[in-house]
Amino acid sequence: MFDIGFSELLVIAVVALVVLGPERLPKAARFAGLWVRRARNQWDSVKQELERELQAEEIKRQMQDVRQGMQDTENQLRASGEAIRREAQEAQQQGDTLAQEVRAPAPADLPPHMRAAPDADAPAQESIAPETAPATTPEAAATPPTQSTERQP
């Protein structure tokens, strides 16, 4: 700490012995030791306090970095979610458009054998009573019609 060698300490001890005398030198040494101990303890407490403050600041800085990272990640996730939503909406719109094109093709797009003139008797079919209308469900078409006359053996 103070670059004091053994020879300098020996000179200081001899001067202290001559000045203080053999009776007061042990008390002075104890007193000096007490003050050195107090100074060291005070220095250590200041040093520990500074270290705690630095650690607390470092922890705060790390927490701030983690929060910033979490916010960046959240923003990225939201942006990618929005992009996926937009792509899904575009795909839905394309699917709807394609479905409409498949369901109702333009007459010019139909091959000639599929183009037909509108049925002249179409209004007459709408006026048929439900009892005489042909069965349109698969179950009704699969079952044979029942005869109203019963056969007797």
Side-chain angles (χ1 to χ4, degrees):
M1 196 156 79
F2 286 113
D3 198 23
I4 297 177
F6 182 70
S7 59
E8 286 101 9
L9 285 177
L10 188 60
V11 170
I12 291 172
V14 169
V15 170
L17 182 61
V18 170
V19 171
L20 295 174
E23 295 143 8
R24 290 188 286 176
L25 187 61
K27 284 183 180 181
R30 271 188 239 121
F31 186 72
L34 177 71
W35 278 102
V36 168
R37 199 172 319 122
R38 284 183 182 172
R40 278 188 187 162
N41 288 341
Q42 189 67 24
W43 174 252
D44 286 341
S45 70
V46 168
K47 186 177 166 184
Q48 288 174 356
E49 184 71 26
L50 285 174
E51 287 176 358
R52 275 187 252 138
E53 289 289 326
L54 290 174
Q55 286 177 349
E57 286 180 27
E58 182 65 27
I59 289 172
K60 286 178 185 176
R61 210 172 310 127
Q62 287 176 351
M63 287 186 62
Q64 214 170 24
D65 292 343
V66 168
R67 280 189 189 132
Q68 185 64 36
M70 287 175 57
Q71 287 177 350
D72 292 344
T73 304
E74 181 181 0
N75 291 339
Q76 288 175 352
L77 286 173
R78 286 185 184 187
S80 63
E82 287 296 321
I84 288 173
R85 259 189 229 115
R86 274 185 262 127
E87 289 177 10
Q89 287 176 350
E90 289 174 7
Q92 180 69 33
Q93 289 174 353
Q94 289 176 355
D96 291 345
T97 304
L98 184 60
Q100 288 175 357
E101 288 176 4
V102 168
R103 287 186 190 131
D109 295 341
L110 290 176
H113 69 279
M114 292 184 75
R115 288 186 212 154
D119 293 336
D121 59 343
Q125 286 181 352
E126 291 176 3
S127 64
I128 297 175
E131 297 85 31
T132 60
T136 57
T137 61
E139 295 89 22
T143 59
T146 57
Q147 296 179 355
S148 60
T149 59
E150 295 181 15
R151 289 188 186 169
Q152 304 226 353

